[in-house]
Amino acid sequence: MSHPSSARMRVCILGSTGSVGANTLDVMARHPERFEVVALTAHSRVDELAAQCLAWKPRCAVLTQPGGAQALRDRLKAAGLRTEVLEGAAMLAQVAAHPDVDAVMAAIVGAAGLEPCIAAARAGKRLLLANKEALVVGGALFMAAVKEGGATLLPIDSEHSAIFQCLPEDRSTWARRIDHIVLTASGGPFRQRDPKTLASVTPDEACAHPNWVMGRKISVDSATMMNKALEVIEARWLFDLTPDQIRVVIHPQSIIHSMVVCRDNSVLAQLGTPDMRVPIAYGLSFPERIESGASALDFTQLAALQFEPPDMRRYPGLQLAWDTLRGAEGSTAVLNAANEVAVAAFLGGTIRFDQIHSVNAHTLDAITTSADACHSIEGLLALDDSARRAAEQQVSRLRAP
């Protein structure tokens, strides 16, 4: 993947066919003089990745699911493209750390993003982190890699980007300024639904988010508020906070994306329309700001901004964030693995929506973690595998008549 240097920022998008990846390309298309696509990756969506390659002509494309790479090669060759096509998950770390890459958008969902994120961090890239699981699974290891490589870590989740935007660039001042942070949550599609009826929720209902357009896995996480639980864990590492310094409030309008409460009780907030292109544009252009394509916020059209505490009966998984942060090292990795298995089982029709929490809680009880497992990628991946097997066993028990 050799190429002469360019004045434009050279970007690798991990997970380019997902919603964050597509939005990243949308922002970049508005500024062709600033950005160049060097590498695009996807898991299995050959058609979508081929279309992106035809439009952007990257030097490299990666398909992680075995079997799809040759079909992509044939299509690109027929179109006259010289894009190099690689296959397999191991190639993600290779392209993320490549010398020809300046910035990496980490938009892969799940623990699969851990290894390429750490590779990008160790290589000193501008790392736009939309893969919260990298910090949930390997927080200490990941942050050590950022420090070791001198990477520029920029959060892309709207909530963490909001917190970051409210703070000065000098990170050494953050501890003296912050009393606590408040992550806002829309409450998802079931905020006002009777908790007794959640057993009958269908995958399509769970994926019908009222404010955001997201992939199916993250949409289900939003409906259970496990997404917010993972964001609490992510915030602990991004901003070096204690669990007690992270709070959550329901804000159905998704206008205030999160808040910093300072030691003098001043509150700093970032506001905007619910559009992922805003944090993406900020991450790409930091410390500057560029046009994102998002619509402007019209205050005259805002009837009201509501806030309410999260109902833990409706969202029992949310409490697991603080429980695992205070628990044994590695507990957050177990929680993430269990949740990935549980959500996949729900989307596949194997368990009910209200059983996702049961799988997560039982898996946490079943797995004993050790600090040693958290000090290497290999140890974390082994812990992830053990947790997945325990979660799958719990799914099988729930499925049995």
Side-chain angles (χ1 to χ4, degrees):
M1 201 168 69
S2 61
H3 197 278
S5 61
S6 169
R8 295 182 294 171
M9 180 180 289
R10 300 167 297 180
V11 181
C12 165
I13 304 178
L14 304 176
S16 64
T17 60
S19 61
V20 172
N23 276 316
T24 302
L25 290 172
D26 181 89
V27 172
M28 292 172 64
R30 297 168 190 276
H31 307 277
E33 75 288 353
R34 296 184 64 118
F35 305 110
E36 172 192 354
V37 175
V38 172
L40 298 173
T41 85
H43 177 55
S44 60
R45 296 178 179 174
V46 175
D47 292 343
E48 292 91 334
L49 186 57
Q52 290 178 343
C53 288
L54 289 172
W56 289 89
K57 300 176 176 57
R59 306 175 210 172
C60 176
V62 179
L63 273 167
T64 59
Q65 187 178 69
Q70 191 56 52
L72 182 62
R73 286 190 194 100
D74 293 342
R75 291 174 65 167
L76 299 186
K77 184 178 180 181
L81 286 189
R82 299 176 63 183
T83 298
E84 180 183 9
V85 178
L86 303 174
E87 183 176 75
M91 295 296 102
L92 296 177
Q94 179 175 309
V95 297
H98 198 280
D100 287 349
V101 170
D102 301 316
V104 175
M105 168 57 78
I108 296 173
V109 175
L114 175 63
E115 193 165 0
C117 283
I118 287 181
R122 285 176 175 162
K125 306 301 183 184
R126 173 184 289 243
L127 181 52
L128 283 63
L129 189 67
N131 174 260
K132 63 177 63 64
E133 292 86 355
L135 278 170
V136 172
V137 174
L141 186 68
F142 181 91
M143 294 307 294
V146 170
K147 184 175 181 181
E148 170 193 333
T152 301
L153 181 61
L154 299 164
I156 299 301
D157 273 348
S158 61
E159 297 82 0
H160 302 91
S161 177
I163 299 297
F164 185 78
Q165 292 181 56
C166 289
L167 293 169
E169 289 184 34
D170 185 357
R171 292 172 181 259
S172 67
T173 69
W174 289 2
R176 300 196 303 270
R177 293 171 180 264
I178 300 173
D179 182 79
H180 64 276
I181 66 170
V182 181
L183 302 178
T184 57
S186 69
F190 308 133
R191 182 176 64 88
Q192 296 179 308
R193 181 161 169 164
D194 184 345
K196 296 177 183 178
T197 70
L198 294 178
S200 63
V201 164
T202 68
D204 284 345
E205 287 176 322
C207 292
H209 196 282
N211 298 337
W212 298 92
V213 178
M214 304 179 291
R216 289 175 71 78
K217 193 271 181 182
I218 195 171
S219 294
V220 174
D221 282 348
S222 181
T224 62
M225 277 190 67
M226 270 305 302
N227 192 42
K228 203 58 50 180
L230 299 180
E231 288 173 8
V232 168
I233 298 166
E234 182 182 7
R236 176 264 175 273
W237 293 105
L238 280 172
F239 306 111
D240 194 22
L241 301 171
T242 67
D244 291 337
Q245 287 181 290
I246 309 167
R247 303 175 193 178
V248 171
V249 66
I250 301 291
H251 170 48
Q253 293 78 24
S254 297
I255 297 298
I256 295 178
H257 297 303
S258 278
M259 297 169 272
V260 176
V261 180
C262 301
R263 292 187 179 274
D264 60 1
N265 281 331
S266 297
V267 180
L268 307 177
Q270 187 263 335
L271 287 70
T273 53
D275 191 321
M276 281 303 298
R277 290 176 296 179
V278 174
I280 289 169
Y282 187 68
L284 285 169
S285 63
F286 176 82
E288 302 175 37
R289 289 184 184 266
I290 57 175
E291 194 268 326
S292 67
S295 58
L297 188 61
D298 185 349
F299 287 94
T300 67
Q301 298 301 309
L302 297 180
L305 297 179
Q306 299 169 259
F307 303 93
E308 59 195 55
D311 180 353
M312 293 304 186
R313 295 176 306 145
R314 189 185 308 276
Y315 310 112
L318 181 58
Q319 181 59 44
L320 296 178
W322 291 278
D323 292 346
T324 54
L325 281 174
R326 297 184 180 110
E329 192 172 359
S331 296
T332 59
V334 173
L335 174 60
N336 178 75
N339 187 61
E340 288 190 26
V341 170
V343 171
F346 165 67
L347 288 172
T350 304
I351 63 172
R352 301 192 312 264
F353 178 82
D354 64 324
Q355 292 176 321
I356 293 173
H357 175 66
S358 174
V359 172
N360 294 340
H362 279 85
T363 304
L364 284 168
D365 288 341
I367 296 293
T368 300
T369 65
S370 68
D372 289 344
C374 303
H375 297 162
S376 69
I377 293 177
E378 294 75 19
L380 286 168
L381 293 178
L383 178 59
D384 177 85
D385 184 63
S386 296
R388 287 174 190 275
R389 284 187 274 109
E392 286 163 357
Q393 290 173 2
Q394 178 61 18
V395 166
S396 296
R397 284 192 285 269
L398 291 172
R399 180 175 50 189

